[in-house]
Amino acid sequence: MLRSFRQVFKSNRTPMAAIMIVVLLGLVAYLAPSGRVDTPDTVVARVYGRDVLLRDLAEHMQELYQRYGKQASPEALKPFVQSQALKDLINQKLMEELAERHHVVVTDEEVGARLRAFLKQYPVLLDANGNLKSTAELKQIFQDTGFNPAIQERNLRSELLRTKLIQQAAFQVPVDEAWLAVENRLRNEKVAFQQATLAVDPAAVADPGDAPLEAFYKAGGQRFLQPPRRVIQYVAVDRAALGKDLQVDDATLKAAFEARKSDFIEFKARHILFKAEGDTQFQEATAKAELLRGRLVKGQDFAKAAEELSEDPSAKGNGGDLGWFNASKMVKPFSDAAAALKPGEISQPVRTVYGVHLIKLEGRREKRFEEVKDQLAREISEDRFNSRAQERLEQIRKRANGGDLGAAAKSFASQAQLSQPFSNEPGAQSEGLPELSQMAGEAFRLKVGEVSKPMRFADRHILFRVQEELPEAVPPFKEIRTKVLAAYRLEESRKQALAKAEQAMKTGGLQAVGPVSDQAAAPLSGLRDLVSHPGIRKALLDTPIGQTTPLLWAPDGKLWAARIVSREPAPALGFEGRRSLIQEVQTSEAQKLLSAELQSLDQEGRLRPGLSSFWGHFGGIYVNASAVQVPVED
């Protein structure tokens, strides 16, 4: 391409040259980050040429918030949800790339059929003939319930791609007779045995002092080899750092109360429901509701009518009583109708996705300022904390201008600190930095010298700069003495436990090792915790009846042994059983292969974030870190 440009400029300084310049500038503009992070079309990640847009991230975050329910506030969950949502979407794009490489295609017709089948599971979406309602009706139901069919369609497409990839890989897994025989035994041979375990206690091993530990450390050679580690310089802002700035005066609280007064109005009501799913049923339900309303207005007891006639199952025991609720707890048509009533009034028939309702308002109350004052103070204080902590860290970031954070932090009454070296491994820890496990991924994504965006972790906001990277090496003994001691204690405790168990087996049998438990005759495949260990699986299959297995280390870290009591051989496989088992084994192996291939594709792509987003278009994974930090749930 560049050669073509040179030839054009050598041979023709006419409009063609100008055209080539425009094309080149357009290409650069397309490949480079736009700098805008506030539009739905902003690219937050690019995976082998496939864009993840801000709207995609926002939609998936909302989906995750709904999945997690009320476990925590959205603000507290946001760092985790945002990270998980981006990871999910990148994985979806990786799946698409892998499917393209393997020539696997999912058609719109296939996705459409799956989506229609999914929607038909819900009676509220069907007409009287069992078919999906009209597009206009479905759109209204989706709007009332907050269901987004585009998200479901995307998930179904990804699920179909995965299924087809697994099916394709499964056909390439050769299952020979020996493998098939073992799998048949694991699933169908019933084995009864007695087992005993012996736990190790590393804490009981005393610290031997530096000299023996250093000898253990030196004898370990590459045992204590650490992967590349990084040191970050960080500035943290917590509530204490902002002090009085977070206090909220009464005037502000009263203004907030007046602005949100409608949020603090509650209603007490009863209702009668006539269920309906199609236009015909809604017409019939409305007619029944109108007739009943006439009798209720004339004095018929509403609670008794609800007991006898309401199709809401809960009404049978409480006369349709809904208790106290605010508008946000009900679907909008219902809450709007309730809000329009005066106590004692009965509504006209109200149509919702559930059917047709009659509502009797029994009470209305407004929470007084004093009742919600503390709640408002907490909310406003939290908002101030978030905005002011982010503002301070952003000012520090700008003043540091990519350099040392120390002086910039000091000018804003904050302090920059250095972390201990840490690796990008699960459970990474550093004294004084409990948030490290959440930050490590971002710390390794940035280049040495780069500064992160301000981020919220639990109870404080943090800004950090990657100070340095230490190459893969065995660190000095003093730096990792704690790890060396832990390894020493574990090894010594395992030696002691093994010696104790071997002696016990010679003199007292299995009972001398530890408490014995009986495992009734059952297929070994049901004992997942045990047979996931290759050695234990082989021992349970190969040890004769009446004999004891070798001493082995179980997955839970305990020393384990068993005595085989009985075996009931697996029945011979017929044609159908054989075919089914082969397919089961092939599918299981194909899933492992797919996971490994996706992981490899992910690692390969992250090695080439490239020129901003250049490689993200052709052969890599680019993440727009600045875009990920915006309030996407808005």
Side-chain angles (χ1 to χ4, degrees), residues 428-446:
Q429 295 181 348
S430 178
E431 186 177 348
L433 196 57
E435 304 88 350
L436 182 60
S437 60
Q438 298 169 271
M439 297 167 55
E442 178 67 5
F444 273 83
R445 190 195 66 79
L446 296 175

Side-chain angles (χ1 to χ4, degrees), residues 203-217:
V205 178
D207 184 336
D210 284 355
L213 279 183
E214 282 202 69
F216 177 74
Y217 161 79

Side-chain angles (χ1 to χ4, degrees), residues 238-479:
D238 57 16
R239 288 180 169 276
L242 296 175
K244 294 182 179 180
D245 285 350
L246 304 184
Q247 294 178 4
V248 187
D249 58 35
D250 280 353
T252 301
L253 290 173
K254 288 177 180 177
F257 176 75
E258 292 298 325
R260 294 177 50 191
K261 217 165 188 179
S262 60
D263 294 346
F264 304 117
I265 298 176
E266 293 183 326
F267 307 97
K268 189 177 190 300
R270 294 179 185 269
H271 86 130
I272 296 171
L273 170 67
F274 297 103
K275 291 183 178 180
E277 296 177 356
D279 288 340
T280 302
Q281 290 186 16
F282 268 108
Q283 291 173 6
E284 294 172 353
T286 301
K288 287 193 288 186
E290 287 174 343
L291 287 173
L292 178 58
R293 183 179 185 277
R295 299 198 299 270
L296 294 171
V297 170
K298 291 179 181 179
Q300 182 175 340
D301 185 81
F302 193 99
K304 187 175 180 181
E307 293 270 359
E308 296 173 352
L309 302 173
S310 180
E311 295 173 7
D312 178 355
S314 65
K316 303 303 180 185
N318 63 9
D321 186 11
L322 296 171
W324 288 98
F325 60 89
N326 60 31
S328 64
K329 299 299 182 183
M330 301 294 177
V331 292
K332 194 172 187 303
F334 191 100
S335 57
D336 287 348
L341 297 173
K342 296 177 181 178
E345 285 186 339
I346 298 172
S347 72
Q348 295 292 334
V350 178
R351 176 172 174 168
T352 73
V353 293
Y354 304 105
V356 177
H357 309 253
L358 289 174
I359 307 168
K360 181 179 181 181
L361 187 68
E362 295 190 334
R364 177 197 301 262
R365 66 186 182 191
E366 296 184 21
K367 288 189 176 180
R368 295 177 294 108
F369 172 70
E370 288 73 15
E371 295 178 83
V372 298
K373 179 179 178 181
D374 290 343
Q375 174 190 338
L376 285 171
R378 286 193 299 272
E379 292 175 0
I380 295 173
S381 178
E382 180 72 6
D383 288 344
R384 285 186 179 179
F385 171 55
N386 288 326
S387 62
R388 293 181 183 180
Q390 288 278 321
E391 180 182 355
R392 177 181 293 191
L393 291 176
E394 188 59 40
Q395 288 174 331
I396 292 172
R397 182 175 181 272
K398 289 179 179 177
R399 180 163 294 188
N401 194 27
D404 183 87
L405 300 178
K410 191 173 182 180
S411 65
F412 288 97
S414 295
Q415 181 181 1
Q417 303 178 68
L418 287 179
S419 74
Q420 297 171 339
F422 60 87
S423 62
N424 190 18
E425 295 179 319
Q429 295 181 348
S430 178
E431 186 177 348
L433 196 57
E435 304 88 350
L436 182 60
S437 60
Q438 298 169 271
M439 297 167 55
E442 178 67 5
F444 273 83
R445 190 195 66 79
L446 296 175
K447 297 177 182 177
V448 174
E450 286 188 331
V451 180
S452 73
K453 292 286 187 180
M455 293 180 285
R456 169 85 187 254
F457 298 100
D459 295 327
R460 59 182 187 170
H461 293 254
I462 294 177
L463 173 75
F464 67 87
R465 176 179 181 270
V466 181
Q467 186 81 2
E468 64 175 321
E469 178 170 290
L470 304 175
E472 182 181 86
V474 176
F477 167 72
K478 289 184 178 179
E479 189 176 310

Side-chain angles (χ1 to χ4, degrees), residues 185-196:
R185 288 187 65 193
L186 285 171
R187 288 162 174 75
N188 299 306
E189 179 176 296
K190 294 182 179 179
V191 182
F193 57 89
Q194 294 180 317
Q195 61 182 342

Side-chain angles (χ1 to χ4, degrees), residues 42-46 52-54 57 86 89 622-625 627-628 632:
T42 296
V43 174
V44 296
R46 188 168 284 128
V52 176
L53 304 181
L54 187 60
L57 186 62
L86 185 60
L89 293 171
Y622 156 72
V623 177
N624 183 353
V628 175
V632 292

Side-chain angles (χ1 to χ4, degrees), residues 32 49 59 68 295 456 634:
E59 286 176 353
Y68 297 133
R295 299 198 299 270
R456 169 85 187 254
D634 294 341

